[in-house]
Amino acid sequence: MAKGGKGPKGKKITLNVAKNCIKITFDGRKRLDLSKMGITTFPKCILRLSDIDELDLSRNMIRKIPDSIAKFQNLRWLDLHSNYIDKLPESIGQMTSLLFLNVSNNRLTTN
């Protein structure tokens, strides 16, 4: 989007920013926490961190989740609550390791 364009200006997440947000949980899992960061678009750079076990993108302003989310084949825990998502990609069904998915408080409908 060109400068001065309409639409919310979100925080730009770089690969280095994302790497600094990875924490190891008490049970040894890699957790990437990008919650409450004012992100407006899915940060494509995090797809290079496909070995993470948990991803928290909650409480942002994300509208769309790309099909490429399925690259996270080891992801067991995905939190997308409190965003502006109106549709989930079909590829999310290919994430066979996923045990927890929170998409509450979005703009999803049954259509």
Side-chain angles (χ1 to χ4, degrees):
M1 184 180 300
K3 281 189 178 177
K6 293 180 181 165
K9 284 288 251 190
K11 181 172 180 176
K12 176 85 171 130
I13 301 297
T14 63
L15 189 56
N16 279 340
V17 168
K19 283 180 179 177
N20 288 333
C21 292
I22 294 176
K23 305 287 185 250
I24 304 300
T25 63
F26 70 92
D27 57 352
R29 300 190 192 283
K30 283 187 180 178
R31 176 182 171 87
L32 176 53
D33 187 351
L34 297 175
S35 64
K36 298 179 271 188
M37 295 187 84
I39 303 168
T40 56
T41 57
F42 184 88
K44 296 229 185 326
C45 66
I46 68 172
L47 295 171
R48 295 174 63 190
L49 304 172
S50 58
D51 63 332
I52 60 172
D53 302 296
E54 301 179 0
L55 176 58
D56 188 349
L57 287 167
S58 65
R59 297 184 178 111
N60 281 295
M61 297 175 281
I62 299 170
R63 296 182 185 280
K64 187 173 192 267
I65 301 298
D67 282 327
S68 52
I69 187 90
K71 287 187 177 176
F72 290 112
Q73 282 301 302
N74 298 329
L75 206 64
R76 298 169 54 86
W77 194 90
L78 177 59
D79 194 346
L80 299 171
H81 85 273
S82 301
N83 277 286
Y84 297 106
I85 301 164
D86 59 6
K87 183 180 169 190
L88 291 175
E90 286 186 27
S91 64
I92 217 161
Q94 299 165 5
M95 300 171 72
T96 55
S97 298
L98 200 60
L99 299 174
F100 172 86
L101 173 64
N102 186 353
V103 292
S104 64
N105 198 22
N106 274 286
R107 295 180 173 171
L108 297 169
T109 62
T110 55
N111 297 353

